[in-house]
Amino acid sequence: MLASRRKLLLVCTSFVILSLLVAPSNGASNSTGALNLSHNKTGNPLEMTPKVSFQLKLHALFHWSSFGFLMPLGIILVRMSSKSRNGGCIRLLFYCHVISQVAAVLLATGGAVLSLMNFENSFSNSHQRVGLALYGVMWLQPIIGFFRPERGVKVRSLWYFFHWFLGIAICATGIVNVYIGLRTYHERTTKSVRLWTGLLTVEVIFLAFFYLMIDRWSYMMKQGHAAVEQLRPTDNRRTYPTTLKKELAMVQE
C-alpha cells in the first residue's frame, strides 16, 4: 500500500514537471531578444525592459524560496522529528518535511523553466553552470526519498547517509548559487543588492543557529536540574546526628 502511494506521488510529480517544461511561454523569444539587445558590445550595464526585470525577480524569488528557505526548513523538520518521542508528532513533522521538500523542488524547477524559456543561456558564468548542475541533481533527492527502504533492511543505513548527504549538499550549493546570482545581477545591471544579500545572510545564520540548537536544547534544559544519581546516598550506612553519637558513646562507657 505504501509503495503504491509512493509510485502514484512520483507519477503525479513527474506529470507536473513535464507540464511545466512543455508549457508555451508567450513572448519568450521577445524577452530573450530584449535581453540580448540591451547588452551592447561595449559591455555597458544592461537596460532591461520592465517585463524582463519582472521575470528576473520572479526567477530569483523562486530560487530564494526553494534553496534559501524551504530546503533548509525541511532539513530542520526532519532533524526535529529525530529528537521527538511522540509518534504523532514524528508523523506530522515527517509529512511537513515531505511537503516542504516537494514544494522546494517544484519552485526550483519553475525557476529553471522560467530561465530556459526567457533568458539568454550561454552558460558562460558560474551562476548558470552551477544552476544547471543543481537542476540535474535536485530531482534525485525526492526520487531517492520515495524509494526509502523499510527499517531493518541492511541498505537502510546506506540509503540514509546518501539521502542526508545529498540533501545537505544540494541545499548548501543552492544557497551559494543564490549569492552568485545576486552578484551577477549587480554586475550586469549595476543595481545594489546589499539589502537582499544582508537579508539572505541573516536568514541563513538564523536557520543554521536553529539547526544547531535542536541537538543541544534538551541538554541545556537538563542543566537546571540535578541528576537523580547525585541525590541518592553513595552508601547504605545510616548516619546519626552528632548528639546521638555522643549519647551512644556515653552508654558504652
Side-chain angles (χ1 to χ4, degrees), residues 62-136:
F62 281 177
H63 281 199
W64 186 322
S65 302
S66 174
F67 297 111
F69 179 71
L70 288 176
M71 285 190 182
L73 178 63
I75 295 174
I76 290 175
L77 289 173
V78 78
R79 190 67 173 177
M80 292 173 62
S81 67
S82 65
K83 299 297 180 180
S84 177
R85 296 182 180 179
N86 188 317
C89 182
I90 293 174
R91 192 177 299 108
L92 177 62
L93 290 172
F94 172 76
Y95 284 122
C96 290
H97 164 77
V98 173
I99 292 172
S100 64
Q101 298 305 84
V102 171
V105 171
L106 292 178
L107 279 175
T109 304
V113 172
L114 185 66
S115 174
L116 293 173
M117 288 186 170
N118 296 285
F119 306 146
E120 181 269 329
N121 294 281
S122 61
F123 300 102
S124 58
N125 57 65
S126 300
H127 179 67
Q128 292 178 341
R129 290 193 291 266
V130 174
L132 181 63
L134 278 174
Y135 299 150

Side-chain angles (χ1 to χ4, degrees), residues 113-203:
V113 172
L114 185 66
S115 174
L116 293 173
M117 288 186 170
N118 296 285
F119 306 146
E120 181 269 329
N121 294 281
S122 61
F123 300 102
S124 58
N125 57 65
S126 300
H127 179 67
Q128 292 178 341
R129 290 193 291 266
V130 174
L132 181 63
L134 278 174
Y135 299 150
V137 179
M138 179 180 60
W139 270 98
L140 287 177
Q141 187 71 342
I143 293 175
I144 293 173
F146 290 145
F147 293 98
R148 178 183 58 173
E150 299 295 335
R151 289 188 179 274
V153 181
K154 292 183 178 180
V155 296
R156 174 65 181 244
S157 299
L158 181 62
W159 171 89
Y160 177 83
F161 173 78
F162 191 72
H163 185 65
W164 168 81
F165 179 79
L166 189 62
I168 295 293
I170 292 173
C171 181
T173 307
I175 292 174
V176 171
N177 202 36
V178 173
Y179 278 107
I180 297 175
L182 289 173
R183 186 191 65 183
T184 304
Y185 179 80
H186 168 69
E187 291 176 351
R188 301 190 67 180
T189 63
T190 68
K191 293 183 178 180
S192 177
V193 293
R194 290 183 179 179
L195 175 62
W196 303 111
T197 303
L199 290 176
L200 179 60
T201 302
V202 171
E203 179 187 343

Side-chain angles (χ1 to χ4, degrees), residues 196 218 240 250:
W196 303 111
S218 59
Y240 298 91
M250 293 175 62

